[in-house]
Amino acid sequence: MQRWRVLVVPSLLLLGVYVWSRLLVPFGWVSLIALAPAAWVAYDSRRIRVQDYNTSLSYGPALLFLLTASFFVVVLPWYLTVRDMIRSGRVPLRETATPSSPNVVRRWWWRRWFLLTAAGAAAYTAFFYPRGTFHDVGHGQYLEVFGAQRLFKWESQHGRAQLLQLSFASLMNGFRDTATMWRESRLLLPLAESTAARTGDTIIELEHIRYPLSRMLPVRITAWTYYHRGRDDAWAPSPTLWH
C-alpha cells in the first residue's frame, strides 16, 4: 500500500463527515441515504475481490464502506469506474506477497486503521462532541443548552433580520412532534428572554437539536421556534422568523 494513502484516506473520511454534517444532517433521516450504496460497495468489492487488483481503491470491504458512507458523492463514481476497469480486464493483478508475510502485513494494516479511527474518535470527542449546560426550567425538568449567539439572517423578500439563537438538546421524537417542540420552547423562554434583555435583541430563535442515534455521529434532527418582542415588550411565539 502506498504511503500517500495513509494521509489521503483519513483526510477523505474527515472531509466527508464534515460535508455530511453541514449539508445532509439538517434533513434528519435523509442524511442516512449513503448507507445503502456504501453497503453495496462493500459487498460488491468482496465479491469481485478488489483487493487483488492494482487499483487506487484496493481496500477491504469495511474501509470501502466507511469511505462511501462518509463521501459517497466522490467515492461511489470512483468505485464504479474501478469496477468497470476490473471487469473489462484493464487492471492488472497485484504482485503476490511472500508466503510468510501476508498475515503479518494484514494484521499491521488493520492495527494502523484501528489506531487512526480511535485517534479520530478521540479528536471528535475532544473538539466537536456537542456538550451543553443543564438549566433548571421548572417542574423538576432540565434542558441541556449548548450555547447562545447573535446571528444575521437574510431573505430576498424580507431583507435582513438580527436575532438571538439559543441551541439546546431536544427530546422530540421527530419533525411531527410539535407538542414537545412547543412545550420545550415555553420552558426555555425565560432563559432566552433574560439573555435577549442583555443583548437587546427583539427576535429569539430556539434551535431544537435531536440526535436520534448517537452524538458521536453527525446525524441530527433540527427544528426552530421563534419569539418576537412587540411594542408592549411582550414576547409572542411564531413558527417562522418572518411574520
Side-chain angles (χ1 to χ4, degrees), residues 149 151-155 161-168 178 181-186 188-189 192-193 196 201-208 222-230 234-243:
Q149 59 179 334
L151 298 176
F152 290 96
K153 290 194 174 182
W154 291 83
E155 187 171 312
Q162 177 180 323
L163 54 93
L164 173 70
Q165 182 190 74
L166 196 69
S167 303
F168 67 98
T178 56
M181 180 183 69
W182 284 109
R183 181 177 59 83
E184 293 174 340
S185 179
R186 291 190 296 269
L188 204 59
L189 181 59
E193 286 181 349
D201 291 292
T202 59
I203 303 175
I204 294 175
E205 179 184 79
L206 297 178
E207 186 180 31
H208 307 246
T222 306
W224 296 269
T225 52
Y226 297 90
Y227 285 86
H228 296 260
R229 187 170 65 186
W235 292 92
S238 174
T240 61
L241 171 61
W242 315 98
H243 75 302

Side-chain angles (χ1 to χ4, degrees), residues 7-242:
L7 297 178
V8 171
V9 172
S11 301
L12 191 60
L13 286 172
L14 293 176
L15 179 61
V17 170
Y18 175 80
V19 173
W20 188 17
S21 63
R22 291 294 181 180
L23 298 182
L24 295 179
V25 164
F27 295 98
W29 292 102
V30 179
S31 59
L32 302 178
I33 191 175
L35 295 183
W40 176 82
V41 168
Y43 169 78
D44 187 73
S45 65
R46 182 182 180 88
R47 184 177 63 84
I48 66 175
R49 303 183 63 86
V50 172
Q51 285 182 292
D52 294 343
Y53 294 88
N54 188 18
T55 69
S56 54
L57 283 179
S58 55
Y59 303 117
L63 184 55
L64 285 175
F65 175 84
L66 293 176
L67 283 172
T68 309
S70 61
F71 210 18
F72 76 98
V73 175
V74 173
V75 178
L76 183 59
W78 186 5
Y79 175 79
L80 292 176
T81 302
V82 171
R83 181 178 185 271
D84 181 67
M85 294 176 64
I86 291 175
R87 292 174 64 88
S88 61
R90 289 178 289 170
V91 179
L93 289 171
R94 301 181 61 182
E95 296 181 1
T96 58
T98 57
S100 59
S101 63
N103 293 335
V104 176
V105 173
R106 183 171 296 180
R107 284 199 301 266
W108 166 250
W109 282 111
W110 275 109
R111 187 180 304 172
R112 175 171 295 184
W113 290 122
F114 174 78
L115 292 176
L116 288 174
T117 303
Y124 176 81
T125 303
F127 299 103
F128 301 104
Y129 187 84
R131 298 184 181 88
T133 303
F134 285 91
H135 288 266
D136 186 359
V137 293
H139 308 287
Q141 301 184 53
Y142 293 84
L143 288 177
E144 185 181 4
V145 178
F146 295 130
Q149 59 179 334
R150 304 183 72 186
L151 298 176
F152 290 96
K153 290 194 174 182
W154 291 83
E155 187 171 312
S156 59
Q157 297 179 353
H158 301 279
R160 187 183 71 170
Q162 177 180 323
L163 54 93
L164 173 70
Q165 182 190 74
L166 196 69
S167 303
F168 67 98
S170 175
L171 300 177
M172 296 172 56
N173 295 322
F175 289 111
R176 296 183 178 182
D177 191 6
T178 56
T180 302
M181 180 183 69
W182 284 109
R183 181 177 59 83
E184 293 174 340
S185 179
R186 291 190 296 269
L187 291 174
L188 204 59
L189 181 59
L191 175 62
E193 286 181 349
S194 61
T195 306
R198 295 194 301 268
T199 60
D201 291 292
T202 59
I203 303 175
I204 294 175
E205 179 184 79
L206 297 178
E207 186 180 31
H208 307 246
I209 301 176
R210 170 69 170 168
Y211 294 91
L213 299 178
S214 170
R215 293 191 184 184
M216 289 297 294
L217 298 175
V219 179
R220 69 184 190 186
I221 298 174
T222 306
W224 296 269
T225 52
Y226 297 90
Y227 285 86
H228 296 260
R229 187 170 65 186
R231 296 180 180 179
D232 56 352
D233 289 337
W235 292 92
S238 174
T240 61
L241 171 61
W242 315 98

